[in-house]
Amino acid sequence: MEYKGKDDAADVWDAAAEGWVDFVRTGKDYWRDGVNNPTTFRLIGNVKGKKVLDLACGEGYNTRILARKGAKVIGIDRSQKLIGLARMEERKEPLGIRYYRMDASRLSGISDASFDLVTCFMALHDIENYKDAVAEVARVLKHGGRFVFSIMHPCFEDMMVNGVRINAAERYFGKVQHLIEWNMKRLTKPFKTMSFHRPLTDYSLVLAKSGLLTSRLVEPRPTREAIRKHPNLRKVLAKPQSIVFEAVKP
């Protein structure tokens, strides 16, 4: 069932794994906790008893939240190191989660129409072959099932391309692979990852082509508590950092 291939994306995240896990598990990822997760989980709603597939689950932070809310969850990711760290956490705190190293664009061994919900938290923009990934989501969703995913807001993201920092507004309709440098002061170990800028139209079209109907779009805002703790999040009240899609398989 597991993906055995070798690829650059997995290598990048394997190299970033140590820094990423510290970032996520020690409260340093306050954009997740104070902006994106509150909005996304409100949109997801009640998952008790639901079968959920978490794409690009990384070390399993949000996968564990889904399981604690009563979902029956499978998490997949291409990074062997991140999946290994997720499995270690599952052994320490058993929640019934199954983790597999797998390519989101080839969900080998996963049956058609087997999930009530598929999630992808702030990661679809990191998947190069996103069209096949969305097609696979449509295949494994039950009729009436939902795909909820969040991405960097392509209207406003900053990108590092060939050593030059540019704003998305300058190249919005271009499809750009770009470098993300994680070097904030709060990190104990800086790291780098790659992402893919795409206009919103591209995501809308690929959902429609895969037979998924976009039902809601939400642009997250920070919670009051998050702003109190991290005043720099106040800027998201004027300009969104991310956007969340909900699409339904009819």
Side-chain angles (χ1 to χ4, degrees):
M1 185 172 181
E2 294 203 8
Y3 172 67
K4 302 297 184 182
K6 183 79 171 173
D7 58 74
D8 292 340
D11 290 346
V12 166
W13 279 102
D14 281 348
E18 182 181 340
W20 178 254
V21 168
D22 175 76
F23 178 60
V24 171
R25 293 184 182 177
T26 59
K28 296 170 184 173
D29 190 3
Y30 54 75
W31 285 88
R32 178 200 299 255
D33 295 330
V35 181
N36 293 313
N37 268 9
T39 297
T40 307
F41 277 101
R42 278 198 302 272
L43 188 61
I44 288 171
N46 183 14
V47 294
K48 188 172 183 179
K50 303 289 187 181
K51 291 190 65 177
V52 180
L53 175 65
D54 190 20
L55 296 184
C57 65
E59 55 73 53
Y61 187 96
N62 284 1
T63 323
R64 291 187 290 276
I65 293 175
L66 289 163
R68 292 186 191 112
K69 289 177 177 290
K72 301 172 184 177
V73 194
I74 288 177
I76 70 157
D77 200 279
R78 286 167 74 165
S79 167
Q80 186 69 58
K81 286 190 177 180
L82 288 174
I83 284 293
L85 289 161
R87 288 169 174 165
M88 286 175 61
E89 198 67 16
E90 173 66 16
R91 288 193 289 271
K92 287 195 294 184
E93 182 193 357
L95 294 168
I97 303 169
R98 289 178 287 161
Y99 291 104
Y100 299 100
R101 183 182 180 229
M102 193 179 296
D103 186 338
S105 65
R106 297 193 301 274
L107 299 179
S108 304
I110 295 183
S111 302
D112 295 357
S114 53
F115 290 95
D116 302 294
L117 172 71
V118 177
T119 57
C120 187
F121 296 93
M122 296 299 288
L124 193 58
H125 51 260
D126 294 337
I127 297 174
E128 184 171 10
N129 193 1
Y130 77 111
K131 294 180 180 179
D132 284 353
V134 173
E136 281 288 81
V137 168
R139 180 182 67 80
V140 304
L141 272 176
K142 298 176 182 178
H143 290 287
R146 297 181 297 147
F147 179 31
V148 176
F149 67 93
S150 53
I151 55 172
M152 292 295 295
H153 203 304
C155 295
F156 304 106
E157 64 182 325
D158 290 320
M159 300 180 285
M160 184 67 72
V161 181
N162 298 324
V164 178
R165 188 170 296 280
I166 63 173
N167 186 273
E170 300 173 37
R171 296 179 64 176
Y172 178 73
F173 284 112
K175 300 173 185 178
V176 182
Q177 181 177 355
H178 62 99
L179 177 71
I180 300 177
E181 295 182 317
W182 302 78
N183 54 9
M184 302 84 86
K185 290 182 179 179
R186 65 187 185 273
L187 294 180
T188 56
K189 184 178 180 180
F191 54 94
K192 298 178 181 180
T193 60
M194 297 299 298
S195 192
F196 299 87
H197 167 84
R198 307 175 183 107
L200 290 172
T201 297
D202 286 22
Y203 290 101
S204 176
L205 288 175
V206 78
L207 289 168
K209 185 176 180 180
S210 299
L212 299 174
L213 303 179
T214 301
S215 50
R216 284 186 283 182
L217 293 175
V218 183
E219 292 160 313
R221 293 186 173 193
T223 64
R224 291 180 180 177
E225 178 67 13
I227 291 175
R228 187 185 67 79
K229 290 182 178 179
H230 307 286
N232 66 311
L233 293 180
R234 186 176 297 277
K235 60 187 177 184
V236 187
L237 295 175
K239 184 175 72 173
Q241 178 249 11
S242 58
I243 186 166
V244 187
F245 282 73
E246 178 193 63
V248 178
K249 181 177 178 178

